[in-house]
Amino acid sequence: MIIVPETSFSYNAHFSLSLPNITIDTFPTFLIGPNGSGKTTLLKILGGFFKVSPTVKVKWQGTLRETRPIYFAYMPAKPTYDANFTVRNYLMLSGNKRQLETIAKELELTKWLGRRMGTLSSGWLQRVFIARILLQDTPYVLMDEPTSFLDPEARKDLIESLSRHPERHFVISSHDLAFLSSFGKFVIGLRDGNVVFRGSTRDFFERGIEDVFVTGYIM
Amino acid sequence: MALLLLLYVITFFVSLSWGQVKVSLIWPTQEELTLLYYRLNRFVTASIVGAVLSCTALTLQTVTRNYLVDSGLLGVNSGAVLGKVLSMFLKVGPSQLFALAGSMVALIATFTLGSLGGSDILRLVVAGVVVNSVLSSAISLISLYLYTSAASVLSWTLGHIRTVSTSELIIMVVSLVLCFVLVSRSKQLDILTLSKEEAMSLGVNYRSEVFFLIAVSALAGSLVSSIFGVFSFVGVAAPNMARRIVSGGHLKLFLFSSIIGALLMAVSDVIARTSVAGIEIPTGLVVSFAGAVFYLYFFWSMSRDYSS
């Protein structure tokens, strides 16, 4: 459970995000909105990368605590990596040697473990990023636009991999409505730095979509 | 690895026996023993300088995510040169102390400028560029108008390996210890190849870790350049060659870069001492030239199986 207080956050004169009280208790939760609506900012506030006051609270080992980055696995929109690392080196950064073989097998990465990151195609890289996130030993996972560079088939693979881990609490920022409809359970809709919708995925498609995106949005 | 070590051992024997005078390593005379001591001193000095410059450059390359930077990034080299030039101009010494003070001032100036209006790596790097540029113009000004021998200033900017006194040796050991501090942060450096948020979620205190690493490596680099002057290129070349040979973590990269750096520097020093009879070429000049040629060959020969 993640509890967001009523607060606001601004970078500079150009962008501010105002938040009402939100309790995120159903996962996967999707942060949906057009570009520049504040999805990534909210994601970083949830993870404690950006500080707000009063602070975001996270349920961690049974008690509610002030949020901290180490409670989350975070996947940025464009992960950075050292091209010279092998896939195994990269995955080991999560510090989870025990699970490595299992997760690699699950994502069909076993034969790629010895390859250097710089030699992988973008589709395989994406799998490696997902594998690292899954290997990080935290219940909460934040993902920023994980489908933005994927073709429909790769997106299907991604959804399958994530679905194999119902024990993880995913919070995903996206504007990919097909992704939302097949994986999301709870939606926070953002527009111009305001939360304009909160509810289930079904409610979002029935009545929330036009508040978030311009009228006449074609899926 | 074995090949590198073999090359290094060969260089060790070559550097002892070659010189303006050939020395037999078996049954040397008393005179030859003295000469051997000096050559050993130089070999060790060159190796330490090469290793320190490689380790500091590797750290800064990872932290700034730019494979083309070295320990001069934050202005410590121009600071050292300015200190040295000032000490020559004012005719006070010891010049090493002035050079060290100069590079410290440059480092402090860079950190101060870099923390104005927020602190992030880009600000720090830009501040380093600014400090470098200002100090370079000061150096040029002094060497053009105030100090008569521009040649000696030029020669200082090239970097000379020479035999060192005990106190200088202590400074070098300090810079080596600083490098071990960097090596001990290998795990953190590995994580810093990820994005800032990922590093933070893996428990790295991003800001303080990065500033600590930058400060330690700039300090180690400034200790070296305050004694020996500026060596360009070796810091850029060694870690990049290491990356071609090994993949993965910084522990391995530190090991390979420092061996390659030490090797490059030791070989260059032998060439510098022996290639022209009667005079000694600055080692910094040889290392820039030989290093660049070797680097080019290296990249051409290995470019097939690796691209990024």
Side-chain angles (χ1 to χ4, degrees):
Chain A
M1 184 161 68
I2 304 172
I3 298 173
V4 183
E6 185 176 341
T7 185
S8 70
F9 179 86
S10 56
Y11 273 123
N12 46 40
H14 304 294
F15 181 78
S16 71
L17 177 66
S18 18
L19 297 168
N21 288 305
I22 310 171
T23 301
I24 302 173
D25 206 11
T26 313
F27 300 95
T29 287
F30 273 62
L31 313 181
I32 293 285
N35 293 327
S37 57
K39 301 190 296 288
T40 303
T41 308
L42 179 53
L43 210 57
K44 287 185 180 175
I45 288 172
L46 295 180
F49 303 105
F50 291 158
K51 301 272 180 231
V52 289
S53 135
T55 57
V56 173
K57 296 277 195 295
V58 176
K59 192 165 194 180
W60 177 264
Q61 293 168 348
T63 50
L64 269 184
R65 301 173 196 215
E66 201 171 293
T67 184
R68 289 174 64 191
I70 55 164
Y71 297 159
F72 297 86
Y74 186 89
M75 186 165 143
K78 284 183 192 157
T80 48
Y81 57 91
D82 192 325
N84 193 47
F85 273 40
T86 61
V87 172
R88 185 187 294 278
N89 293 146
Y90 178 81
L91 294 180
M92 283 299 292
L93 293 177
S94 288
N96 193 341
K97 195 182 271 180
R98 201 168 39 86
Q99 294 279 318
L100 194 139
E101 303 295 333
T102 322
I103 296 282
K105 203 169 179 183
E106 195 182 295
L107 288 160
E108 294 163 33
L109 285 169
T110 308
K111 70 183 167 69
W112 298 84
L113 286 176
R115 286 278 294 270
R116 294 195 192 208
M117 295 288 283
T119 63
L120 301 187
S121 68
S122 56
W124 284 103
L125 269 180
Q126 187 75 5
R127 279 190 188 217
V128 174
F129 298 148
I130 303 282
R132 197 195 71 64
I133 294 304
L134 292 176
L135 277 169
Q136 202 169 328
D137 201 10
T138 64
Y140 298 99
V141 179
L142 304 176
M143 300 174 110
D144 194 359
E145 306 273 6
T147 58
S148 48
F149 298 110
L150 298 183
D151 59 32
E153 199 179 321
R155 179 168 58 201
K156 184 174 143 282
D157 288 346
L158 172 73
I159 292 167
E160 275 169 18
S161 331
L162 299 183
S163 304
R164 272 192 289 263
H165 293 272
E167 79 284 3
R168 308 300 287 268
H169 302 325
F170 293 101
V171 180
I172 298 172
S173 107
S174 187
H175 48 217
D176 181 346
L177 296 181
F179 183 34
L180 167 66
S181 68
S182 50
F183 190 58
K185 292 220 175 93
F186 187 73
V187 178
I188 297 173
L190 290 149
R191 185 169 181 87
D192 301 329
N194 293 299
V195 173
V196 293
F197 177 83
R198 274 171 288 166
S200 68
T201 305
R202 175 192 290 235
D203 282 353
F204 175 75
F205 283 111
E206 278 172 8
R207 59 183 177 82
I209 191 163
E210 296 206 338
D211 293 333
V212 174
F213 295 103
V214 289
T215 313
Y217 183 88
I218 299 160
M219 240 185 96
Chain B
M1 184 71 192
L3 183 68
L4 277 177
L5 284 178
L6 182 68
L7 278 174
Y8 190 59
V9 171
I10 292 173
T11 313
F12 170 73
F13 287 112
V14 167
S15 78
L16 286 190
S17 65
W18 284 10
Q20 303 284 354
V21 186
K22 276 234 161 48
V23 172
S24 145
L25 291 178
I26 311 152
W27 308 121
T29 62
Q30 194 62 39
E31 272 177 7
E32 286 180 330
L33 264 182
T34 318
L35 199 61
L36 277 183
Y37 169 75
Y38 280 112
R39 286 185 187 168
L40 182 66
N41 186 320
R42 276 190 74 141
F43 175 78
V44 172
T45 306
S47 301
I48 293 180
V49 169
V52 168
L53 290 176
S54 311
C55 288
T56 56
L58 172 61
T59 306
L60 290 171
Q61 285 169 14
T62 297
V63 167
T64 60
R65 304 182 198 282
N66 180 347
Y67 285 178
L68 298 175
V69 303
D70 64 12
S71 57
L73 177 73
L74 300 183
V76 292
N77 287 347
S78 14
V81 174
L82 184 63
K84 176 87 175 179
V85 169
L86 270 178
S87 100
M88 291 194 291
F89 171 60
L90 300 169
K91 296 200 172 55
V92 284
S95 62
Q96 292 93 321
L97 206 64
F98 268 75
L100 188 57
S103 60
M104 288 299 110
V105 169
L107 190 57
I108 291 166
T110 304
F111 268 93
T112 313
L113 282 177
S115 58
L116 290 179
S119 60
D120 53 64
I121 303 174
L122 187 62
R123 273 173 210 276
L124 201 61
V125 173
V126 171
V129 172
V130 170
V131 168
N132 254 326
S133 165
V134 169
L135 293 181
S136 304
S137 56
I139 294 163
S140 306
L141 186 75
I142 293 180
S143 53
L144 273 178
Y145 295 109
L146 302 176
Y147 190 71
T148 43
S149 169
S152 62
V153 175
L154 178 65
S155 118
W156 173 254
T157 61
L158 285 172
H160 285 270
I161 293 291
R162 52 185 169 74
T163 52
V164 287
S165 65
T166 318
S167 58
E168 287 173 332
L169 196 65
I170 290 170
I171 291 182
M172 288 172 58
V173 170
V174 172
S175 69
L176 209 53
V177 169
L178 290 175
C179 285
F180 278 109
V181 172
L182 295 178
V183 173
S184 76
R185 310 303 285 179
S186 291
K187 181 75 197 160
Q188 283 79 0
L189 277 164
D190 286 347
I191 290 176
L192 286 173
T193 61
L194 300 174
S195 67
K196 182 179 172 183
E197 285 79 19
E198 289 171 285
M200 285 166 78
S201 79
L202 285 166
V204 169
N205 189 338
Y206 187 81
R207 268 241 310 261
S208 59
E209 186 70 40
V210 161
F211 277 73
F212 173 76
L213 290 168
I214 290 179
V216 170
S217 34
L219 189 62
S222 73
L223 291 177
V224 166
S225 54
S226 65
I227 303 180
F228 301 103
V230 180
F231 296 95
S232 54
F233 207 72
V234 65
V236 175
N240 282 312
M241 289 186 202
R243 285 192 186 94
R244 299 276 154 151
I245 298 173
V246 288
S247 59
H250 278 76
L251 203 57
K252 264 199 234 167
L253 278 179
F254 272 123
L255 182 67
F256 277 81
S257 324
S258 48
I259 292 176
I260 294 171
L263 181 66
L264 269 179
M265 201 57 108
V267 169
S268 303
D269 191 46
V270 174
I271 299 172
R273 282 194 288 120
T274 58
S275 58
V276 183
I279 60 160
E280 213 177 80
I281 309 168
T283 312
L285 206 149
V286 178
V287 84
S288 300
F289 182 78
V293 173
F294 187 47
Y295 192 58
L296 190 64
Y297 165 75
F298 204 79
F299 264 64
W300 280 98
S301 64
M302 293 190 76
S303 58
R304 275 172 183 278
D305 55 36
Y306 179 76
S307 61
S308 62

